[in-house]
Amino acid sequence: MRIAMIGTGYVGLVSGACLADFGHQVICVDKDANKIASLAAGKMPIFEPGLGELVASNVKAGRLAFTEDLAGSVRDAEAVFIAVGTPSRRGDGHADLTHVFSAAREIAAALSGFTVVITKSTVPVGAGDEVERLMREANAKADVVVVSNPEFLREGAAIRDFKFPDRIVVGTLDERGRKVLADIYRPLTLNQAPLIFTARRTAELIKYAANAFLATKITFINEIADLAEQLGADVQEVARGIGLDRRIGTKFLHAGPGFGGSCFPKDTRALMKIALDNDVQLRIIETVLSVNDNRKRAMARKVAQAAGGRMRGKAVAILGLTFKPDTDDMREAPSIPLITGLLDLGAIVRAHDPAGMEMACREMPDIEYFDDPYLCARGADALVIVTEWAQFRALDMMRLKREMARPVIVDLRNIYHPADMAELGFVYESVGRRRASRLRIVDDSDVGSELAAPRSLSTV
Ligand SMILES: NC(=O)c1ccc[n+]([C@@H]2O[C@H](COP(=O)([O-])OP(=O)(O)OC[C@H]3O[C@@H](n4cnc5c(N)ncnc54)[C@H](O)[C@@H]3O)[C@@H](O)[C@H]2O)c1
């Protein structure tokens, strides 16, 4: 199958490389000349485990190429995927479809012969109808079928998710369209991945409903974490206790600083707007969004509390900036409102992230960045673990303690045990678990006197 992938971002690049790996002939198109130049030079524009190798081997095999030439790529393609961004529209939270519609017009003008155009971008219900209308307006003679095929991959595990999906959703009632999609995904269906055929609008809604449900699950356990803190219960044990019930499931029950990332915030906002436009109120989703926004802001206060209250002039080391591990994506990362909140309180912020510092620097140029977590911790009055990168799960705590001015750790991902941290002499705050020590920073002078002697440490 000859495939053109329009938009070579996280989704387009991973999907294009995986489809090429299935044996299809794929050309990835982007209007960002720098991105294409860097890909052509073998340099990945994003951090995604295994992507560089996958791209290189498929380029070498002659199945994958990169270009800025949309028209030339579409002309020869049997299937054209639209995988451009659909960010939140400034001001109202609707999905901004500017890129989708402009890609649709450009594709329409270049079509020749029967072509299936597949929307992989996350788009509001009914957007496929509009894409089809625009294409027919731009090229009345085009023999085209517009199909919805939402993508469910997760950054950080994107290749595995694409190659071993829980399901593939294909939205079209057109038989020719269904056949082309079945051919594209045959390597996966041979592997037993369920291919769900449905109507286009239903497929579009499936994507939003899935993200909204997952965002709700996260928010639910975050609220239970707040309650657990007050009650002296342990949210991780609660999560396990409920998650082993197969009707609930253990995934997405990790309490933390609130969800962020390129999808959940914008997609839940967009779903709420779609509903309002259709006179339906999604009160659960509205609540999820506002609880999550408040939570992200509250994290700075949590850090301040652990550090003794006053933050003016105090140095805070942040470990982890990206919205999750194994990506460099900073979109709506919880670290951003946390850092902004700390700066507002007068703190001096130092930060380290294994892959996200270049992106973070663009968002937050006014903080100091360090290539090494221990240098980042040097002289800090508090250290906050914001993203659960694997390398933060086995930090040398004694070294960290020697580097820090005060041994205060706020672990927003619950990757350490409160009892272990107390034994090591840390003031240790986590999420939804009671502090295990009698240590408490009351004001600037009484930290050292309350420290217990360090013994051992194990990590979860
Ligand atoms: N990132 C994820 O984990 C994820 C997962 C599932 C679905 N999605 C959805 O997939 C879509 C793409 O997301 P992303 O994270 O890959 O976005 P992205 O911003 O990383 O990439 C989009 C790319 O499209 C390019 N582009 C825009 N208009 C173009 C045009 N007319 N012609 C050619 N290229 C064009 C941009 O230059 C950019 O490189 C979004 O709708 C998103 O909601 C994302």
Side-chain angles (χ1 to χ4, degrees):
M1 184 85 62
R2 288 186 309 278
I3 294 172
M5 183 68 65
I6 314 301
T8 308
Y10 285 85
V11 166
L13 182 53
V14 170
S15 308
C18 289
L19 290 171
D21 212 44
F22 296 165
H24 300 303
Q25 196 65 40
V26 181
I27 181 138
C28 284
V29 183
D30 206 287
K31 62 179 185 182
D32 180 339
N34 291 332
K35 200 173 265 191
I36 293 301
S38 106
L39 281 163
K43 222 178 125 223
M44 292 304 105
I46 55 169
F47 178 90
E48 180 64 43
L51 186 60
E53 296 80 347
L54 188 73
V55 168
S57 67
N58 283 285
V59 167
K60 194 161 169 235
R63 291 190 296 263
L64 181 61
F66 302 99
T67 182
E68 286 172 71
D69 176 16
L70 185 145
S73 320
V74 165
R75 208 169 296 127
D76 296 331
E78 296 154 89
V80 179
F81 282 87
I82 300 178
V84 300
T86 49
S88 271
R89 195 162 66 189
R90 247 173 222 284
D92 66 6
H94 277 281
D96 182 346
L97 295 176
T98 317
H99 299 304
V100 172
F101 292 157
S102 93
R105 285 193 195 91
E106 280 186 73
I107 293 166
L111 289 175
S112 72
F114 173 62
T115 315
V116 179
V117 173
I118 305 140
T119 313
K120 196 164 254 318
S121 300
T122 303
V123 293
V125 181
D129 303 355
E130 183 60 11
V131 165
E132 185 165 345
R133 194 193 65 75
L134 284 173
M135 296 187 90
R136 300 215 181 281
E137 188 180 80
N139 183 349
K141 287 193 284 236
D143 185 11
V144 64
V145 172
V146 177
V147 176
S148 164
N149 170 221
E151 182 50 58
F152 299 96
L153 62 76
R154 294 163 302 167
E155 288 175 24
I159 294 170
R160 203 189 171 284
D161 283 353
F162 195 92
K163 290 193 167 180
F164 302 94
D166 290 339
R167 77 309 205 181
I168 305 146
V169 174
V170 173
T172 179
L173 298 177
D174 184 282
E175 271 315 316
R176 291 190 301 169
R178 287 187 172 189
K179 179 168 184 323
V180 168
L181 270 289
D183 286 347
I184 290 174
Y185 287 114
R186 177 146 302 115
L188 295 182
T189 47
L190 287 175
N191 261 347
Q192 314 293 324
L195 186 59
I196 300 176
F197 286 116
T198 177
R200 195 161 59 197
R201 284 178 169 239
T202 307
E204 290 166 342
L205 185 54
I206 286 172
K207 173 65 191 175
Y208 278 109
N211 275 1
F213 188 84
L214 294 173
T216 304
K217 215 172 164 190
I218 295 172
T219 307
F220 173 81
I221 202 66
N222 282 341
E223 283 204 322
I224 295 294
D226 290 345
L227 184 60
E229 266 173 41
Q230 294 307 317
L231 298 175
D234 183 323
V235 74
Q236 278 182 291
E237 288 172 23
V238 174
R240 188 169 148 75
I242 63 172
L244 287 173
D245 182 332
R246 270 175 302 194
R247 293 169 301 175
I248 296 174
T250 50
K251 301 270 171 66
F252 282 77
L253 282 182
H254 301 287
F259 62 77
S262 62
C263 292
F264 287 178
K266 83 169 172 70
D267 291 348
T268 42
R269 270 197 296 269
L271 180 59
M272 214 172 75
K273 296 294 174 179
I274 295 167
L276 285 176
D277 281 355
N278 288 280
D279 292 325
V280 174
Q281 208 184 350
L282 297 181
R283 279 181 299 176
I284 293 175
I285 306 304
E286 276 173 31
T287 308
V288 163
L289 268 168
S290 87
V291 168
N292 193 60
D293 282 348
N294 291 340
R295 182 172 194 83
K296 288 206 260 187
R297 272 196 295 276
M299 289 301 120
R301 293 197 295 278
K302 187 177 176 77
V303 174
Q305 224 167 26
R310 280 179 294 122
M311 293 309 287
R312 190 148 304 281
K314 283 188 181 161
V316 180
I318 303 286
L319 294 192
L321 293 163
T322 51
F323 83 93
K324 59 146 96 171
D326 292 327
T327 181
D328 57 354
D329 202 336
M330 284 296 298
R331 286 177 279 186
E332 308 223 24
S335 64
I336 300 171
L338 166 69
I339 289 172
T340 315
L342 289 171
L343 292 173
D344 287 346
L345 292 172
I348 300 153
V349 177
R350 309 153 63 83
H352 164 74
D353 188 277
M357 292 199 290
E358 204 182 312
M359 296 277 194
C361 223
R362 294 181 209 163
E363 289 272 345
M364 300 177 290
D366 299 329
I367 61 171
E368 249 191 300
Y369 293 93
F370 295 84
D371 285 332
D372 176 85
Y374 301 98
L375 282 182
C376 179
R378 186 163 291 172
D381 295 285
L383 179 141
V384 191
I385 300 173
V386 188
T387 316
E388 66 279 32
W389 283 89
Q391 42 272 70
F392 300 155
R393 290 179 185 271
L395 289 166
D396 178 345
M397 284 297 165
M398 293 321 295
R399 183 170 166 205
L400 214 52
K401 197 165 161 214
R402 281 196 302 276
E403 294 285 3
M404 293 177 69
R406 284 151 202 282
V408 177
I409 292 191
V410 181
D411 176 2
L412 297 180
R413 301 293 181 173
N414 290 350
I415 59 180
Y416 289 96
H417 277 306
D420 294 337
M421 298 302 277
E423 271 184 31
L424 280 167
F426 281 98
V427 171
Y428 175 78
E429 278 296 339
S430 55
V431 179
R433 301 182 300 177
R434 210 166 39 169
R435 187 186 280 178
S437 80
R438 61 188 175 82
L439 304 182
R440 196 160 70 88
I441 295 213
V442 178
D443 65 29
D444 290 358
S445 59
D446 65 352
V447 182
S449 61
E450 286 193 319
L451 298 184
R455 290 215 302 269
S456 67
L457 175 74
S458 67
T459 62
V460 284

